[in-house]
């Protein structure tokens, strides 16, 4: 299957610029990068895509058994790198896509010049001294809500995830993005996301890495950003003066600047 159609790959920006791959998180598609793209396109070659099962990806590529974990998504990222023959690329992964980038870079470090982990979490579940932000009953309730009433869950959770009560239009945009997703595929993706544990994979990352967190984030608290920073050798940690889990929507200028600064530093 052609990778470009499989993942609805779109390339824009400066043709001779450093490639920057923009990978969306759970329940979203590449459209959620729309405010960041024009801020980066004049200097960088931007590669946008939809994960299989999301957005305008090829529906025939979806296989529930293959996409039960994050490794297959990481393999798709590497397939895009190979198909486009990307050199010195920077991978930017939002939320769960950050761990896809970690897995891809751990498997093939030569494929990337660097990683940007935007509001990442290697594990959402609390585990002893590790504070991921959720208890097991929290996650069970979340998954049950998605399974029983996905549209209701989408409309209830979007404001919590977005964290911008003064900007209801952003909360509505995120809710609409969730609602466009197929509920069965969304549930599989949610399980892969919220039951994942990639803490041990952080130590496998050898490429330069920037971790971008928000000052207040209900899904990825600052303890998580600090944990990633500690376990990825040589990484940098940037804390945006922002609330919520989607700074590429709420503070696109600051997010784009942090991405560009990191790319320039390589």
């Amino acid at each position: 299957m052609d990778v470009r159609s499989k993942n609805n790959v779109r390339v824009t920006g400066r043709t001779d610029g450093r490639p920057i791959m923009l990978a969306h998180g759970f329940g979203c598609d590449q459209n959620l990068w729309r405010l960041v793209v024009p801020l980066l396109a004049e200097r960088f070659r931007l590669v946008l895509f939809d994960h299989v099962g999301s957005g305008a990806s090829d529906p025939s590529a979806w296989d529930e058994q293959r996409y039960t974990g994050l490794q297959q998504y990481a393999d798709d990222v590497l397939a895009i790198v190979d198909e486009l023959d990307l050199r010195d690329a920077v991978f930017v992964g939002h939320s769960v896509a950050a761990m896809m980038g970690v897995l891809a870079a751990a498997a093939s470090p030569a494929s990337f010049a660097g990683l940007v982990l935007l509001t990442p979490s290697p594990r959402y579940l609390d585990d002893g001294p590790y504070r991921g932000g959720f208890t097991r009953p929290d996650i069970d309730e979340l998954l049950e809500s998605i399974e029983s009433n996905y549209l209701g869950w989408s409309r209830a959770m979007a404001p919590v995830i977005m964290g911008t009560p003064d900007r209801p239009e952003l909360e509505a945009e995120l809710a609409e993005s969730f609602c466009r997703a197929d509920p069965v595929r969304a549930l599989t993706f949610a399980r892969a996301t919220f039951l994942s544990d990639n803490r041990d994979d952080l130590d496998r990352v050898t490429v330069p890495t920037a971790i971008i967190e928000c000052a207040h984030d209900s899904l990825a608290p600052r303890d998580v950003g600090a944990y990633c920073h500690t376990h990825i050798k040589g990484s940098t940690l940037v804390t945006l003066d922002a609330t919520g889990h989607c700074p590429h929507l709420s503070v696109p200028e600051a997010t784009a600047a942090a991405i560009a600064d990191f790319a320039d530093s390589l």
Side-chain angles (χ1 to χ4, degrees):
M1 181 180 297
D2 176 68
V3 170
R4 293 174 186 258
S5 60
K6 175 183 176 181
N7 288 99
N8 186 32
V9 177
R10 182 168 66 93
V11 181
T12 188
R14 183 170 171 171
T15 56
D16 61 346
R18 181 190 291 276
I20 294 182
M21 300 182 73
L22 299 172
H24 66 83
F26 167 76
C28 304
D29 57 35
Q30 60 181 269
N31 186 59
L32 263 69
W33 294 106
R34 63 183 179 80
L35 300 179
V36 167
V37 166
L39 300 175
L40 296 174
E42 289 187 3
R43 297 181 49 215
F44 301 101
R45 182 188 181 198
L46 304 180
V47 179
L48 297 104
F49 62 97
D50 296 328
H51 300 303
V52 169
S54 301
S57 63
D58 189 335
S60 68
W62 170 254
D63 183 323
E64 186 172 359
Q65 299 305 313
R66 293 186 69 197
Y67 287 93
T68 54
L70 300 185
Q71 185 61 57
Q72 184 59 47
Y73 295 101
D75 292 344
D76 288 348
V77 168
L78 292 174
I80 294 170
V81 171
D82 290 343
E83 174 67 21
L84 301 184
D85 193 25
L86 300 180
R87 306 294 176 88
D88 296 324
V90 173
F91 178 90
V92 181
H94 171 237
S95 193
V96 66
M99 291 304 113
M100 299 173 193
V102 164
L103 291 171
S108 181
S111 297
F112 304 98
L115 297 180
V116 175
L117 311 183
L118 183 64
T119 62
S121 180
R123 178 184 168 101
Y124 292 89
L125 276 166
D126 296 339
D127 183 28
Y130 174 81
R131 311 307 295 171
F134 294 85
T135 65
R136 184 60 199 235
D138 290 336
I139 296 296
D140 289 343
E141 181 180 357
L142 181 152
L143 295 174
E144 289 169 8
S145 296
I146 292 175
E147 186 170 17
S148 64
N149 184 7
Y150 178 63
L151 294 181
W153 175 89
S154 299
R155 296 189 178 102
M157 282 300 296
V160 176
I161 295 170
M162 196 66 236
T164 55
D166 57 328
R167 301 172 71 185
E169 72 279 4
L170 295 182
E171 297 175 352
E173 179 177 353
L174 187 61
E176 179 59 28
S177 176
F178 287 160
C179 291
R180 285 197 301 269
D182 175 83
V184 173
R185 295 173 183 176
L187 178 60
T188 301
F189 197 1
R191 287 176 175 149
T193 298
F194 293 107
L195 298 177
S196 62
D197 187 351
N198 297 104
R199 290 176 295 176
D200 289 344
D201 296 306
L202 300 177
D203 294 314
R204 301 169 56 208
V205 175
T206 57
V207 302
T209 301
I211 299 155
I212 303 176
E213 63 178 6
C214 291
H216 304 282
D217 184 344
S218 60
L219 260 67
R222 293 187 64 181
D223 284 352
V224 175
Y227 184 92
C228 292
H229 178 42
T230 298
H231 287 270
I232 299 180
K233 186 176 180 180
S235 63
T236 59
L237 178 62
V238 177
T239 304
L240 300 178
D241 183 15
T243 299
H245 193 59
C246 301
H248 48 323
L249 283 176
S250 60
V251 287
E253 294 85 1
T255 302
I259 293 170
D261 287 347
F262 173 71
D264 289 340
S265 73
L266 299 174

